[in-house]
Amino acid sequence: MAEKVRTRILARRLTGGDYYLLTLGNPIAAAVRPGQFVMVGLADAADPFLKRPYSIYRSLPPSTERPEGELVLLIKRVGKGSAQTASVPVGTAIDIIGPLGQPFAIPEGSTSALFVAGGVGVAPFIELAATLAGKGMHIQALIGGRSEVDLQGIGALEELGVTVRCATEDGSAGTSGRVTTLLEDAIEAGLPEGTQLYVCGPDAMMKAVGAIAQRAGLPCQLSLEAVMGCGFGVCLGCVVKDNHGEFVRVCKEGPVIPADRLQDYGFGDIGDGEVAK
Amino acid sequence: MAEKVRTRILARRLTGGDYYLLTLGNPIAAAVRPGQFVMVGLADAADPFLKRPYSIYRSLPPSTERPEGELVLLIKRVGKGSAQTASVPVGTAIDIIGPLGQPFAIPEGSTSALFVAGGVGVAPFIELAATLAGKGMHIQALIGGRSEVDLQGIGALEELGVTVRCATEDGSAGTSGRVTTLLEDAIEAGLPEGTQLYVCGPDAMMKAVGAIAQRAGLPCQLSLEAVMGCGFGVCLGCVVKDNHGEFVRVCKEGPVIPADRLQDYGFGDIGDGEVAK
Amino acid sequence: MNGAQGHATAASPTLGVTICGVDFKNPVIAASGTFGYGEDMIDFFDPGLLGGIATKGISLKPKAGNPTPRIWETASGMLNAIGLNNVGLDVFLEKKLPFLRSLSDTACIVNFYGHTVEEYAELAGRLGEVEGVDFLEMNISCPNVKEGGIVFGTDPKLMATVVSAAKKRCRVPLIVKLSPNVTDIALMAKTAVDAGADALSLVNTFTGMAVDIRRRRPILANGVGGLSGPAIKPLALRMTHAVCQAVAVPVIGMGGIMNARDALEFMLVGATAVQVGTASFVNPTAMPDMLTEMGALLAEQGVDNLCDWIGTLQTP
Amino acid sequence: MNGAQGHATAASPTLGVTICGVDFKNPVIAASGTFGYGEDMIDFFDPGLLGGIATKGISLKPKAGNPTPRIWETASGMLNAIGLNNVGLDVFLEKKLPFLRSLSDTACIVNFYGHTVEEYAELAGRLGEVEGVDFLEMNISCPNVKEGGIVFGTDPKLMATVVSAAKKRCRVPLIVKLSPNVTDIALMAKTAVDAGADALSLVNTFTGMAVDIRRRRPILANGVGGLSGPAIKPLALRMTHAVCQAVAVPVIGMGGIMNARDALEFMLVGATAVQVGTASFVNPTAMPDMLTEMGALLAEQGVDNLCDWIGTLQTP
Ligand SMILES: Cc1cc2nc3c(=O)[nH]c(=O)nc-3n(C[C@H](O)[C@H](O)[C@H](O)COP(=O)(O)OP(=O)(O)OC[C@H]3O[C@@H](n4cnc5c(N)ncnc54)[C@H](O)[C@@H]3O)c2cc1C
Ligand SMILES: Cc1cc2nc3c(=O)[nH]c(=O)nc-3n(C[C@H](O)[C@H](O)[C@H](O)COP(=O)(O)OP(=O)(O)OC[C@H]3O[C@@H](n4cnc5c(N)ncnc54)[C@H](O)[C@@H]3O)c2cc1C
Ligand SMILES: Cc1cc2nc3c(=O)[nH]c(=O)nc-3n(C[C@H](O)[C@H](O)[C@H](O)COP(=O)(O)O)c2cc1C
Ligand SMILES: Cc1cc2nc3c(=O)[nH]c(=O)nc-3n(C[C@H](O)[C@H](O)[C@H](O)COP(=O)(O)O)c2cc1C
Ligand code: FES
Ligand code: FES
């Protein structure tokens, strides 16, 4: 069940380029499932006006060493909101709403998972890996980015026993090229029976991956992005069109949606990501 | 000459109740005259929208011990802006515009000054006392407030050799009653020849003091308050009516205005001092 | 505290108001299009705490709405161009109304719209005869597809026609929701009342636009959208005041209300109740929070009964 | 950097625009009522850097304006009810104009207003014949004292009358400054142009209100005031776009412009130049800062000449 709660920034760590890990207190730990997200905004701040959606990178419940628990977000600084949480001091009060949305489905009896992530799209896979690893599953991750700095979360995945392969568009790390090539290679090399594809990244990448998965007959779940007004289903701002031409809410029926429900989904563009002050 | 410059919060010290001394870097030191004010707002903050006017409590130029100089403000927390500067961390970047307005006039050859302050209205008198003390003048201050906590700046004045007498409405410190009674007593006891009255405080107090000064034939300068849009003369928001029915700008022709120019001035009320968020 | 729980003690001011004979236990109503059909926010608070709920705007047929992007943040506000996405009359009656009906102590206000005078009339007739519907709220900020797309709510004649057609068929009190995109809101208010409106609500959103300088296109897929949130509060408050001066029917004020103080401002200028929209997006408990604060604020002003507050603005 | 200095190098985009045959070295104009008569902000930057300066609104006689409070902060904006406080025609010509005239490279736009059609016509005649005045800008957001106080700029007929009366007497290009408090801004724009407007500027402020719940009174002494600042930007941008689609004369856009990006948005939807008002209160160097940024932003978009940017919004 989602809640609106106040917590605070416990730590912040730059992880290269515009990326940082933001650790908050975690009053919602008990409810979190991998793939869910939170809406985040500084407490009592009127600017920016709306809260910002971020995937839950890691959710650790309160314990003796971590009395407030830890809700970890991997954030890429792109605009006003992400710049603000990058710069306010540790200790600053933060309001979060969550956990929100549908988590990744983990089909009964599945034994193998393949993550395909683009850039900051890797965020939900750390929590997912932790859950799947707990079930003793075999997990591979294919991570793509423009450049080396855009390959985030690799260490965290590897620590959880995930086999990671990378591609960068500029060839600065891993294979030179796109993550879709890694995927095609992996499919050609043969994936374990019943492998689930979990995908999160830019629209274009998700469309491409969705198509590849379909051709290969692989079950595939996409974690979508959309500009969100509320995050909990009431503004109808975040919809995407499904196969039947119906709008589904990314915040409520998503963000995780089976790719075959969205063969042809109508993502809108979201502008240049800056809002005048 | 006024400038718009960015500096930062060097220190903040609570001085009781809702009052605090805010020390900023002082890039404008060379231009400051006692009685002038600055417009203040957090750098790049969109909320609150307008900057806030504060008297210059103390202006110390950069020196070896104080490489950024010190611009000290005495602030009473009343609403959104004064709460924000009360709570952001030391080190936060601040934009100031100043020094603004007309300073207190120090007539050639004057040897005695009497300050009459109500509450946070004491703010401009510390800088004024420093200047007058430098000229070897005899200075007395009468300070009124609702309660003991509203008597601010006394130590600073005394250090500068000012004789301070106080009154509180609730009798918690000094004489019980209003500062106007102290003034009448002082006039009755006899003031040195040519004593200048300098007055800053709530409207009602300034009107009362202005009237007493007129009856006693004492030269009297009032430092006015007004809701300000700009602080430098272009919005025409801050006007008060003078004796001729003309509007004068508190930010440009003021804030210091001879009381006899305003016998009958038309202060507007400024609401309950809170703005919705 | 008590306000939010709905149990007034001797010390806490009474928040009940009456609109067209219907009692509201408090004046806070969820605004249309910002609270779904009442169920989506149940994680955050019991919707039964509210004085009333205005549903998403219902049309005869289901409506998919506009392509995305549908919303965009602006300074202290947001633009939306949802395109009146709704489940349509039949699904509403069958699947959504029962929940609202179950909140017996919270007024059910069904917001609706049409594309022609006939559609408005039909909806008013069919929705107004249903058990559990306390009010209809007519959204007239929609283009008339039969008359060159003029927005019903911006033309006095068109408005009179559509309001009286709806009123004829409507068996429950009819609230007309005014568009603020007009020269003379008081004139529109009088026109609506003369045509049969039992109450008025205002404001709907102000038409606005955002553009993307990188792509040289409007940001919203629809080109323009409606501005809501604190940015519009001063405008909405002025219009609410003007309308309350102009008509004798109850007025429900809205536009940028974020907290109890804002709500009390709208009631001070004459609104009998308020609706709260965008605030819930930013703070899903904005409405219950507001109820808690409202009692305290009124008590501070020495007011025991909200009814003694409404319309008591002194003008010089 | 170069933009702000007015010396374009090969690399930095050209910012010059032309309005009614008058060259502006850049499109940034100080908005009326927010820059005095050009001299007050000289501490902060050389006003000669600006493309143009619109003066405080001038009337035949000096005007003391409204009692205080005259301004109030709102969410991302402010309300003002200055009451058109100005020095009057004679003092303006004698004491204020010479400074503006001395800025030979900055267009001098004299904003003016009247209370009757005759006053507008007389001012247009007298101001328009003075050396050094490049444009007149007619503020029609004022009540007609002869016709029951209807605001000239909200009634098409009244507007046509007053604009054509002023135009007849005016020897320099006449800019009509539109009020946004209307149902159909495009209609008002067309009316103004048909009546003789050589160019249009918009928007003036939106009517709004703030109240003090403690004192149960309006905060502004005047009761209502005009809203400006970023809060209104989406509304102003939509109106500027609508007007640019409706008329062929040059349009000057404004309303909440805080930085170069905002300015480019207004020009993208079709404005030839922009005015900047409230931004200067918050940041007195907003205009020169904007000029510096504007060149860089245009260069980023691969635009060499601002004229290739104006009106290039693609609509679906
Ligand atoms: C379900 C979900 C999960 C997400 N998880 C992450 C994550 O783990 N890490 C991360 O860095 N980012 C994530 N994003 C994207 C993140 O929400 C945006 O980067 C962020 O909102 C940008 O805000 P801003 O103020 O910095 O940018 P601005 O450009 O100033 O934002 C302007 C407006 O556009 C919206 N917006 C801008 N970019 C996006 C985007 N890509 N997606 C959705 N809305 C956007 C903002 O929310 C805001 O309303 C996620 C988005 C969604 C929908
Ligand atoms: C020349 C001058 C010098 C001042 N010097 C001092 C000083 O040294 N120390 C100090 O504590 N205060 C001083 N004030 C008052 C100070 O400006 C206000 O207390 C402050 O603006 C309140 O802002 P806020 O956001 O906290 O309050 P809010 O109530 O949220 O402010 C809302 C709006 O009202 C204005 N406002 C509210 N109260 C006042 C007021 N008393 N005077 C003018 N505008 C007001 C604000 O600037 C803002 O625009 C001075 C005012 C003036 C004009
Ligand atoms: C996302 C969104 C959807 C809306 N949908 C409707 C609607 O279907 N019918 C309607 O009459 N008003 C609709 N409105 C307008 C609101 O009910 C309200 O009039 C407006 O938002 C101003 O109030 P606020 O500032 O509190 O949001 C919608 C507003 C928003 C933000
Ligand atoms: C304090 C103030 C005074 C103004 N005075 C005038 C005026 O005399 N004549 C006029 O045409 N517009 C006047 N305006 C309107 C501005 O010129 C401008 O149209 C409006 O403020 C919107 O732009 P902005 O958001 O950039 O301020 C005034 C605005 C403000 C804030
Ligand atoms: S973000 Fe509001 S419905 Fe999804
Ligand atoms: S505050 Fe703007 S003129 Fe004084």
Side-chain angles (χ1 to χ4, degrees), chain A residues 19 74 76 117-123 143-146 150-153 200-202 205:
Chain A
Y19 299 88
L74 172 65
K76 181 175 183 187
V120 77
V122 76
I143 302 182
R146 187 181 305 246
D150 300 304
L151 305 175
Q152 295 284 321
C200 186
M205 183 206 99

Side-chain angles (χ1 to χ4, degrees), chain B residues 1-4 46 48-52 80 97-98 100 227-230 232-239 245 247 249 252 266-277, chain D residues 33-36 40-41 43-44 56 64-78 82 85 212-215 219 229-230 258 278 280-285 289:
Chain B
M1 196 171 106
E3 274 181 273
K4 186 206 93 181
F49 181 62
L50 299 173
K51 294 201 161 44
R52 303 299 193 235
K80 203 195 254 186
I97 306 173
L100 296 165
V227 179
M228 292 188 171
C230 63
F232 38 82
V234 294
C235 76
L236 306 185
C238 64
V239 297
F247 280 127
R249 293 170 296 184
K252 198 93 175 183
F267 276 103
D269 282 295
I270 58 152
D272 67 354
E274 277 198 51
V275 176
K277 274 151 215 175
Chain D
T34 66
F35 203 67
D40 285 313
M41 284 175 62
D43 273 9
F44 302 109
K56 180 74 197 161
N66 290 327
T68 56
R70 290 177 166 193
I71 62 157
W72 194 247
E73 184 180 70
T74 67
S76 297
M78 60 174 275
I82 305 300
N85 185 345
D212 176 346
I213 64 164
R214 197 176 43 75
R215 297 170 54 247
I219 289 176
M258 298 299 281
T278 307
S280 296
F281 300 167
V282 178
N283 171 12
T285 59
D289 292 354

